Amino acid sequence: MTERYDSAAARHYAAYRPPLHRVILERVLRPGEFFQTGLDIGCGTGYSAVALTRYCGRVLGLDPSAAMLAAAPRHPGITYLHGSGDALGQLPVPAVEVVTFAGSLFYAKSGELRKELGRVCAPGATILVYDFEVFLDAAMAEAGVDQPAPTGDYDHQANLSGWAEFAVEVSGAERIQLAVSGNEMAHLLLADSNRYDAFLKRFPNRDPFEPLAGILNARGGAIPLPVGLYFTRYRVLGK
Ligand SMILES: C[S@@+](CC[C@H](N)C(=O)[O-])C[C@H]1O[C@@H](n2cnc3c(N)ncnc32)[C@H](O)[C@@H]1O
C-alpha cells in the first residue's frame, strides 16, 4: 500500500509542504538556466509545478488525481492537465525541454512512461527526478499514535537507472533538519490518507486537525523535522 491522496488528505497536502522543491532545484539546475516548456509529471497540488516556473516560460502540470489538481493554485505560468505519465496524449506544445518528477516517479514508472518520455522530450532534454522524505515517527508518537501507518514499498530513491537513453549528469542524497510549527506538523501528518485514518481513530467523530495541532502547539516552540533529500538530473540521449 503506497500513500493515498483522497480529498481530506489533499486538503492538508495543499495546506503545507516543506519548502524543499526550490532547495532541490537549486542543486540540480544552474543559476539562470531557462527552458521554454517544462512538464511536471505527478504535479499533485502544484508545489513542484510552481517551483519549476522559476526556470520555464511555461509549465504543464500533469496528475491523474482530480482531488490533488482541484487543490492546486491557479498560476499564470502553469497549465494543469488531468492525466497519467503512461499516456501523455497530445501535449499543447511541440516538445518539452525539461521534465520533473517530484515524489512521483515511484508511482508513474512503467514501460509506457519510458516510451512517452522518448516521444515528448526535445533532443537533449533534461529530466529531473527528485524527492524528499520527512521523518514523522517522533511527531506521530508525540501525538499519541505509536504505530505509524505502514508506508508499504514506497522508494524515495526511485530513478531511471537501466533506461540507457537517459544519462546521469548530477546525483545526490543529503540529510538536513528543518524546524516547523505545530500547525505545519499537523498538516504534514494528515497529508497522507493512511495517517489521516490513524488520527481519525485517535480522535473519533471529529476533524482531527484541531486536536492534533493543539497537542503539537502545546509543547511550545518550533518542532524539529529531519528530512532526506534525493535528486538526479538526466540528459535525454540519442534524439
Ligand atoms: C507525493 S505526490 C507529489 C506531488 C507533487 N509533485 C509535489 O511535489 O508536491 C505524488 C503524485 O503522483 C501522482 N501520480 C500517481 N500515479 C501517477 C502516474 N501514473 N502518473 C503521474 N502521476 C502519478 C499522484 O496522484 C500524486 O499527486
Side-chain angles (χ1 to χ4, degrees):
M1 185 69 173
T2 52
E3 293 202 324
R4 293 186 286 122
Y5 304 101
D6 61 18
S7 54
R11 184 162 57 84
H12 292 288
Y13 198 103
Y16 178 70
R17 295 302 288 163
L20 292 167
H21 297 83
R22 187 171 168 163
V23 169
I24 297 176
L25 289 182
E26 281 170 2
R27 281 166 168 68
V28 287
L29 293 170
R30 294 178 280 277
E33 205 165 354
F34 193 78
F35 307 88
Q36 284 308 319
T37 309
L39 171 63
D40 183 33
I41 298 184
C43 67
T45 59
Y47 288 103
S48 44
V50 170
L52 190 60
T53 58
R54 194 167 169 221
Y55 298 93
C56 293
R58 177 180 189 185
V59 170
L60 306 175
L62 174 112
D63 203 280
S65 164
M68 294 295 265
L69 288 175
R74 302 305 103 188
H75 186 292
I78 303 175
T79 305
Y80 291 107
L81 304 171
H82 187 218
S84 143
D86 54 19
L88 294 171
Q90 279 317 111
L91 297 178
V93 291
V96 170
E97 291 162 16
V98 61
V99 177
T100 49
F101 293 92
S104 57
L105 182 65
F106 177 82
Y107 306 108
K109 195 172 178 188
S110 69
E112 284 69 33
L113 172 75
R114 182 179 184 177
K115 284 187 215 140
E116 287 292 74
L117 288 175
R119 182 175 70 83
V120 304
C121 285
T126 296
I127 299 180
L128 308 174
V129 176
Y130 69 93
D131 203 352
F132 53 83
E133 181 174 15
V134 286
F135 296 100
L136 295 171
D137 287 4
M140 292 284 282
E142 185 170 341
V145 175
D146 289 329
Q147 296 294 321
T151 52
D153 56 354
Y154 184 79
D155 180 8
H156 285 91
Q157 300 191 60
N159 59 48
L160 304 181
S161 67
W163 293 3
E165 66 276 34
F166 307 118
V168 174
E169 292 191 319
V170 181
S171 190
E174 284 174 39
R175 182 101 176 215
I176 62 170
Q177 180 143 296
L178 302 178
V180 298
S181 71
N183 282 14
E184 289 167 345
M185 182 60 89
H187 286 306
L188 280 173
L189 290 169
L190 296 173
D192 157 60
S193 302
N194 295 314
R195 287 194 303 269
Y196 190 94
D197 291 347
F199 282 106
L200 267 185
K201 277 198 192 127
R202 163 94 168 85
F203 306 110
N205 305 320
R206 52 202 290 216
D207 180 340
F209 179 78
E210 248 180 62
L212 176 55
I215 291 173
L216 295 168
N217 283 317
R219 76 200 299 280
I223 304 172
L225 176 67
V227 180
L229 310 180
Y230 313 101
F231 46 88
T232 308
R233 173 179 176 145
Y234 298 87
R235 188 161 46 83
V236 179
L237 301 174
K239 287 195 77 178

